Amino acid sequence: KVYSYLNIGALESFREYYEAYRDLTLKPYDNWPGEFWVDAADKRWQKLTGELAKSYKEKGIDGLFLDNADVYWHYPNQDVYEGLLLILKSTKKFGMPVIINGGDTFVRAMLERDDMKDLVEGVNQESVFTSIDFSDGSFGACLADDNNFYLAYLAQVKAEGLKVYLIEYGADDAQREIINKYCSEQGYV
């Protein structure tokens, strides 16, 4: 199965549509030069993401990997929440499964408000066990508090019947063994 990446909460300067939507940017995305948080509450942005999802369906893509719902963590207001929810609903009509990458604050709000309604197949979380030091590009272990936070979040997601995926960066052999064992025990991918 092929899932296509679709950025629903940030706009990258290398996208062909960047100039047309540049006015919707809110602030730079830390550690990612040329990427900006975007106003997901804006109707133009919602329309664009729907058009992109449709184009992926027409290309034969099996599912969507939606990134940067974390914009809701940066801008935790009802307009952004509803904008992201509308984007999810617009992707649903194409009949493709959806995985949300990150976005734990948004996903938890959806669960608390009972807004999930089969909109999402699963969640992916990056760096549950590992970390990236962007100042020098090195990898290491995730801080214990962050690890505990994500493990609790992923357990909540799993309890709601969603699939759980992890992406870890720069894991050494010992970390890979721990990660693989934990994922196997929990039924995570």
Side-chain angles (χ1 to χ4, degrees):
K1 292 193 179 219
V2 176
Y3 282 68
S4 184
Y5 179 91
L6 179 56
N7 197 336
I8 62 171
L11 176 63
E12 303 104 330
S13 61
F14 64 84
R15 300 287 181 189
E16 63 185 27
Y17 49 82
Y18 173 75
E19 287 300 327
Y21 296 90
R22 182 180 188 169
D23 61 310
L24 302 180
T25 62
L26 301 169
K27 69 178 181 179
Y29 192 131
D30 289 343
N31 300 312
W32 295 99
E35 189 164 355
F36 305 87
W37 295 108
V38 71
D39 184 3
D42 188 275
K43 299 292 184 208
R44 288 174 37 228
W45 183 253
Q46 295 162 12
K47 182 179 179 193
L48 172 67
T49 55
E51 289 169 356
L52 291 169
K54 180 181 179 192
S55 74
Y56 297 155
K57 176 67 175 181
E58 291 169 351
K59 291 176 184 177
I61 298 298
D62 299 305
L64 296 171
F65 186 84
L66 304 182
D67 199 12
N68 290 315
D70 303 289
V71 69
Y72 181 64
W73 181 80
H74 290 277
Y75 299 92
N77 62 62
Q78 190 63 23
D79 289 344
V80 170
Y81 177 85
E82 289 175 12
L84 290 170
L85 197 57
L86 284 169
I87 289 170
L88 281 175
K89 288 177 180 178
S90 76
T91 63
K92 180 70 174 166
K93 67 183 173 190
F94 301 113
M96 295 183 289
V98 169
I99 297 171
I100 292 182
N101 184 45
D104 57 271
T105 303
F106 175 67
V107 170
R108 279 188 161 146
M110 287 178 63
L111 293 172
E112 289 168 11
R113 299 174 189 192
D114 198 28
D115 283 339
M116 195 63 75
K117 297 181 181 50
D118 298 321
L119 294 175
V120 177
E121 167 188 277
V123 299
N124 181 75
Q125 185 59 55
E126 297 172 283
S127 301
V128 174
F129 292 90
T130 60
S131 67
I132 304 170
D133 183 340
F134 286 95
S135 68
D136 64 7
S138 64
F139 301 101
C142 184
L143 297 174
D145 286 347
D146 292 341
N147 177 256
N148 291 332
F149 172 84
Y150 285 126
L151 293 179
Y153 163 64
L154 295 173
Q156 177 187 8
V157 167
K158 179 184 174 188
E160 293 290 337
L162 299 173
K163 294 178 184 176
V164 176
Y165 304 86
L166 274 64
I167 295 177
E168 300 291 343
Y169 302 99
D172 62 24
D173 289 340
Q175 288 171 315
R176 272 194 296 279
E177 188 174 320
I178 292 167
I179 295 164
N180 286 333
K181 183 177 187 284
Y182 187 81
C183 287
S184 178
E185 290 170 352
Q186 298 302 316
Y188 298 169
V189 179

